[in-house]
Amino acid sequence: MKHPLLKLEPLIWLLFGQGILLGTVLLTPWVLVVGLAIPLGIVPEDALSYERATMLASHIFGRLILFGLIVLPLWKGVHHMRHTFIDFGGAERDAWVAPLLYLLATIGSVLAVVAVVRI
Amino acid sequence: MSDGHQKKTFVITRFDPDQDEAPRKQSYEIPVHPDWKVLDALNFIKDEIDATLSHRWSCRMAVCGSCGMMVDGEPRLTCKEALSQYGDTVDVAPLANFPVVRDLVIEADGFMEKLTHVKPWIIRAKELAVEEGPMRQSPGELEEFKQFSMCINCMLCYSACPVVANEPEFIGPAAIALGHRYSLDSRDEGAAERNKVFRGEGSVFSCSFANECSEVCPKHVDPAAAVNQAKLNAVIDWATDLVLPRGGEPPQLPDHFPFSGRYLAYTLFDLTGILYLLLGFLVLCAVWSLGSGEAVWNDMLERHRNIFYLGFHAIALVGLIFVGIRFFGFFPKAQPPRVGPVKPPPKGVILVGLYALWIGVTVCLSIVLAGGVF
């Protein structure tokens, strides 16, 4: 039986699709620089000193990109995790697992708004 | 025929999808014969007065199930209803709860689809060989389901059912009765399969036992009885599944699902969901720490030097490249040839555009993040 929450599936699919497309596009430079190059010392750490990071992030485009960097991967993540769960035999439990996963992404999205506003 | 014994006015709901925005009423006053049925009057109107009137009918003896309509607001077989029991004005409309094709003709596709879902045929685990003779059935065994096999698919019950009106996905009275009929048949072995359908989407439990289906059934099938018997069977099936989970039942996934052969790439693609979720939360933590002051931000940068963080980001980078290559390859063919008046560019152009976007944004943002500009 379908959960009533899943009437939102077109919207969820849209966020999921953009999570793959724009999420991948935005995450690649983030992982390259913040995740690898700076910690490995390939790029000097002061590239993202507190002052410079705040300057970049508090610009309207900075905030928008960071918001996308959080929200899009979250929705791609939970939707794909739901697929995986079904593929590994969880179809019968989808009615409560799916809302739970989407709730997680919703909480993350709300926190993302707060996080980019309070920079 | 028009010997003019009596006149009656027929108020008929008309609808021409090419011309009308909404159904409208049209009145016809015609002479009627005392022993006419409602259908005879409709045929008279079509033959003698207005050839544009559309309605369905065939056998004229309450067997084919095609002439069901709302007569004075009640779902009726028009070939079965004597005109004498109606007043001087008779209102005829298409069956309620169905989309209208034209005038009194309704769209029955949804019902036909539901009918196939309940598997209304004898299911055998193994067919009997011809030499084993016919499958015998006693009169007592026949009696168990005979009533439910009298259904003629006239859909009057769907028209009367308040649940169908509110939940169009509800399998509905006739289809459940016909499925249940086979589950009750001593020759059948498909009850378990049907119970899954009855418990599934549009389940028997949507039925609120209004009993209206049985009130209007012209063949005294009593679909409400079938639906509510099916509920108990579905409960037993559900409880049995809880206590004794039955494995190996259809549908069965392909043998090498999900980790070998051609499924591997698909499964890995789905599993990247975990990477993305973690990345999303890591970025959230980073942005949050930026808003919490310099010390917290520096702590965050320091944490990223940890071997686990580095290892995760290395795996994440491989995952991102894998997702990008796989998804960007699929993306162009997922675009419809036209969205309204807008035509997307050719597939090759979309593919090149996606890679240009990916590489372009990666280069530009990397330069910005690494302190190259601003």
Side-chain angles (χ1 to χ4, degrees), chain B residues 264-280:
Chain B
L264 180 63
Y266 161 75
T267 304
L268 288 177
F269 184 63
D270 273 11
L271 278 173
T272 58
I274 299 165
L275 288 180
Y276 277 67
L277 185 75
L278 290 173
L279 281 170

PDB file of all heavy atoms in Angstrom, chain B residues 264-280:
ATOM      1  N   LEU B 264      25.467  -5.028 -11.466  1.00  0.00           N
ATOM      2  CA  LEU B 264      26.459  -4.468 -10.540  1.00  0.00           C
ATOM      3  C   LEU B 264      26.496  -2.946 -10.621  1.00  0.00           C
ATOM      4  O   LEU B 264      26.421  -2.266  -9.599  1.00  0.00           O
ATOM      5  CB  LEU B 264      27.843  -5.058 -10.853  1.00  0.00           C
ATOM      6  CG  LEU B 264      28.945  -4.544  -9.938  1.00  0.00           C
ATOM      7  CD1 LEU B 264      28.682  -4.942  -8.496  1.00  0.00           C
ATOM      8  CD2 LEU B 264      30.302  -5.064 -10.387  1.00  0.00           C
ATOM      9  N   ALA B 265      26.579  -2.425 -11.866  1.00  0.00           N
ATOM     10  CA  ALA B 265      26.685  -0.973 -12.023  1.00  0.00           C
ATOM     11  C   ALA B 265      25.449  -0.286 -11.444  1.00  0.00           C
ATOM     12  O   ALA B 265      25.550   0.740 -10.764  1.00  0.00           O
ATOM     13  CB  ALA B 265      26.849  -0.619 -13.492  1.00  0.00           C
ATOM     14  N   TYR B 266      24.279  -0.881 -11.689  1.00  0.00           N
ATOM     15  CA  TYR B 266      23.036  -0.294 -11.176  1.00  0.00           C
ATOM     16  C   TYR B 266      23.043  -0.259  -9.657  1.00  0.00           C
ATOM     17  O   TYR B 266      22.708   0.750  -9.035  1.00  0.00           O
ATOM     18  CB  TYR B 266      21.845  -1.099 -11.704  1.00  0.00           C
ATOM     19  CG  TYR B 266      20.572  -0.892 -10.926  1.00  0.00           C
ATOM     20  CD1 TYR B 266      19.831   0.277 -11.071  1.00  0.00           C
ATOM     21  CD2 TYR B 266      20.120  -1.853 -10.025  1.00  0.00           C
ATOM     22  CE1 TYR B 266      18.674   0.477 -10.354  1.00  0.00           C
ATOM     23  CE2 TYR B 266      18.966  -1.674  -9.306  1.00  0.00           C
ATOM     24  CZ  TYR B 266      18.246  -0.505  -9.458  1.00  0.00           C
ATOM     25  OH  TYR B 266      17.105  -0.314  -8.736  1.00  0.00           O
ATOM     26  N   THR B 267      23.421  -1.384  -9.045  1.00  0.00           N
ATOM     27  CA  THR B 267      23.417  -1.466  -7.583  1.00  0.00           C
ATOM     28  C   THR B 267      24.415  -0.476  -6.989  1.00  0.00           C
ATOM     29  O   THR B 267      24.113   0.210  -6.007  1.00  0.00           O
ATOM     30  CB  THR B 267      23.751  -2.898  -7.133  1.00  0.00           C
ATOM     31  OG1 THR B 267      22.821  -3.780  -7.753  1.00  0.00           O
ATOM     32  CG2 THR B 267      23.637  -3.037  -5.631  1.00  0.00           C
ATOM     33  N   LEU B 268      25.602  -0.393  -7.602  1.00  0.00           N
ATOM     34  CA  LEU B 268      26.589   0.561  -7.099  1.00  0.00           C
ATOM     35  C   LEU B 268      26.078   1.994  -7.235  1.00  0.00           C
ATOM     36  O   LEU B 268      26.258   2.826  -6.349  1.00  0.00           O
ATOM     37  CB  LEU B 268      27.914   0.402  -7.863  1.00  0.00           C
ATOM     38  CG  LEU B 268      28.706  -0.865  -7.542  1.00  0.00           C
ATOM     39  CD1 LEU B 268      29.949  -0.943  -8.423  1.00  0.00           C
ATOM     40  CD2 LEU B 268      29.102  -0.913  -6.064  1.00  0.00           C
ATOM     41  N   PHE B 269      25.417   2.271  -8.359  1.00  0.00           N
ATOM     42  CA  PHE B 269      24.846   3.611  -8.593  1.00  0.00           C
ATOM     43  C   PHE B 269      23.866   3.954  -7.473  1.00  0.00           C
ATOM     44  O   PHE B 269      23.908   5.038  -6.899  1.00  0.00           O
ATOM     45  CB  PHE B 269      24.144   3.610  -9.952  1.00  0.00           C
ATOM     46  CG  PHE B 269      23.585   4.941 -10.362  1.00  0.00           C
ATOM     47  CD1 PHE B 269      24.414   6.030 -10.561  1.00  0.00           C
ATOM     48  CD2 PHE B 269      22.223   5.095 -10.584  1.00  0.00           C
ATOM     49  CE1 PHE B 269      23.901   7.256 -10.960  1.00  0.00           C
ATOM     50  CE2 PHE B 269      21.704   6.321 -10.988  1.00  0.00           C
ATOM     51  CZ  PHE B 269      22.541   7.392 -11.171  1.00  0.00           C
ATOM     52  N   ASP B 270      22.981   3.001  -7.132  1.00  0.00           N
ATOM     53  CA  ASP B 270      22.032   3.226  -6.037  1.00  0.00           C
ATOM     54  C   ASP B 270      22.759   3.422  -4.711  1.00  0.00           C
ATOM     55  O   ASP B 270      22.377   4.248  -3.897  1.00  0.00           O
ATOM     56  CB  ASP B 270      21.085   2.027  -5.917  1.00  0.00           C
ATOM     57  CG  ASP B 270      19.869   2.183  -6.833  1.00  0.00           C
ATOM     58  OD1 ASP B 270      19.903   3.106  -7.671  1.00  0.00           O
ATOM     59  OD2 ASP B 270      18.920   1.388  -6.702  1.00  0.00           O
ATOM     60  N   LEU B 271      23.817   2.621  -4.514  1.00  0.00           N
ATOM     61  CA  LEU B 271      24.525   2.690  -3.225  1.00  0.00           C
ATOM     62  C   LEU B 271      25.235   4.022  -3.029  1.00  0.00           C
ATOM     63  O   LEU B 271      25.530   4.412  -1.900  1.00  0.00           O
ATOM     64  CB  LEU B 271      25.541   1.543  -3.127  1.00  0.00           C
ATOM     65  CG  LEU B 271      24.954   0.197  -2.688  1.00  0.00           C
ATOM     66  CD1 LEU B 271      26.004  -0.899  -2.788  1.00  0.00           C
ATOM     67  CD2 LEU B 271      24.421   0.273  -1.263  1.00  0.00           C
ATOM     68  N   THR B 272      25.526   4.756  -4.124  1.00  0.00           N
ATOM     69  CA  THR B 272      26.166   6.066  -3.959  1.00  0.00           C
ATOM     70  C   THR B 272      25.254   7.007  -3.177  1.00  0.00           C
ATOM     71  O   THR B 272      25.703   8.066  -2.736  1.00  0.00           O
ATOM     72  CB  THR B 272      26.501   6.728  -5.305  1.00  0.00           C
ATOM     73  OG1 THR B 272      25.297   6.861  -6.065  1.00  0.00           O
ATOM     74  CG2 THR B 272      27.534   5.931  -6.076  1.00  0.00           C
ATOM     75  N   GLY B 273      23.984   6.621  -3.020  1.00  0.00           N
ATOM     76  CA  GLY B 273      23.069   7.424  -2.205  1.00  0.00           C
ATOM     77  C   GLY B 273      23.651   7.688  -0.835  1.00  0.00           C
ATOM     78  O   GLY B 273      23.544   8.801  -0.290  1.00  0.00           O
ATOM     79  N   ILE B 274      24.286   6.665  -0.255  1.00  0.00           N
ATOM     80  CA  ILE B 274      24.859   6.822   1.087  1.00  0.00           C
ATOM     81  C   ILE B 274      25.974   7.878   1.062  1.00  0.00           C
ATOM     82  O   ILE B 274      26.053   8.736   1.933  1.00  0.00           O
ATOM     83  CB  ILE B 274      25.397   5.463   1.595  1.00  0.00           C
ATOM     84  CG1 ILE B 274      24.231   4.476   1.669  1.00  0.00           C
ATOM     85  CG2 ILE B 274      26.083   5.597   2.933  1.00  0.00           C
ATOM     86  CD1 ILE B 274      24.645   3.032   1.808  1.00  0.00           C
ATOM     87  N   LEU B 275      26.831   7.820  -0.003  1.00  0.00           N
ATOM     88  CA  LEU B 275      27.902   8.817  -0.133  1.00  0.00           C
ATOM     89  C   LEU B 275      27.325  10.233  -0.190  1.00  0.00           C
ATOM     90  O   LEU B 275      27.799  11.142   0.491  1.00  0.00           O
ATOM     91  CB  LEU B 275      28.711   8.583  -1.421  1.00  0.00           C
ATOM     92  CG  LEU B 275      29.646   7.379  -1.487  1.00  0.00           C
ATOM     93  CD1 LEU B 275      30.338   7.347  -2.847  1.00  0.00           C
ATOM     94  CD2 LEU B 275      30.677   7.473  -0.374  1.00  0.00           C
ATOM     95  N   TYR B 276      26.289  10.402  -1.016  1.00  0.00           N
ATOM     96  CA  TYR B 276      25.713  11.730  -1.197  1.00  0.00           C
ATOM     97  C   TYR B 276      25.090  12.237   0.099  1.00  0.00           C
ATOM     98  O   TYR B 276      25.214  13.416   0.438  1.00  0.00           O
ATOM     99  CB  TYR B 276      24.693  11.731  -2.334  1.00  0.00           C
ATOM    100  CG  TYR B 276      25.314  11.865  -3.705  1.00  0.00           C
ATOM    101  CD1 TYR B 276      26.104  10.857  -4.236  1.00  0.00           C
ATOM    102  CD2 TYR B 276      25.113  13.020  -4.470  1.00  0.00           C
ATOM    103  CE1 TYR B 276      26.676  10.976  -5.488  1.00  0.00           C
ATOM    104  CE2 TYR B 276      25.677  13.150  -5.740  1.00  0.00           C
ATOM    105  CZ  TYR B 276      26.459  12.129  -6.245  1.00  0.00           C
ATOM    106  OH  TYR B 276      27.018  12.248  -7.480  1.00  0.00           O
ATOM    107  N   LEU B 277      24.399  11.333   0.794  1.00  0.00           N
ATOM    108  CA  LEU B 277      23.774  11.750   2.051  1.00  0.00           C
ATOM    109  C   LEU B 277      24.847  12.230   3.030  1.00  0.00           C
ATOM    110  O   LEU B 277      24.721  13.295   3.637  1.00  0.00           O
ATOM    111  CB  LEU B 277      22.983  10.582   2.659  1.00  0.00           C
ATOM    112  CG  LEU B 277      22.189  10.938   3.922  1.00  0.00           C
ATOM    113  CD1 LEU B 277      20.943  11.730   3.567  1.00  0.00           C
ATOM    114  CD2 LEU B 277      21.805   9.696   4.701  1.00  0.00           C
ATOM    115  N   LEU B 278      25.936  11.444   3.154  1.00  0.00           N
ATOM    116  CA  LEU B 278      27.015  11.836   4.068  1.00  0.00           C
ATOM    117  C   LEU B 278      27.659  13.140   3.610  1.00  0.00           C
ATOM    118  O   LEU B 278      27.945  14.025   4.433  1.00  0.00           O
ATOM    119  CB  LEU B 278      28.066  10.717   4.151  1.00  0.00           C
ATOM    120  CG  LEU B 278      27.600   9.446   4.875  1.00  0.00           C
ATOM    121  CD1 LEU B 278      28.649   8.341   4.744  1.00  0.00           C
ATOM    122  CD2 LEU B 278      27.330   9.744   6.350  1.00  0.00           C
ATOM    123  N   LEU B 279      27.887  13.274   2.286  1.00  0.00           N
ATOM    124  CA  LEU B 279      28.483  14.520   1.774  1.00  0.00           C
ATOM    125  C   LEU B 279      27.585  15.707   2.103  1.00  0.00           C
ATOM    126  O   LEU B 279      28.070  16.762   2.525  1.00  0.00           O
ATOM    127  CB  LEU B 279      28.691  14.426   0.257  1.00  0.00           C
ATOM    128  CG  LEU B 279      29.921  13.627  -0.200  1.00  0.00           C
ATOM    129  CD1 LEU B 279      29.880  13.395  -1.704  1.00  0.00           C
ATOM    130  CD2 LEU B 279      31.204  14.354   0.186  1.00  0.00           C
ATOM    131  N   GLY B 280      26.268  15.541   1.896  1.00  0.00           N
ATOM    132  CA  GLY B 280      25.329  16.622   2.202  1.00  0.00           C
ATOM    133  C   GLY B 280      25.470  17.057   3.649  1.00  0.00           C
ATOM    134  O   GLY B 280      25.549  18.254   3.959  1.00  0.00           O
TER     135      GLY B 280
END
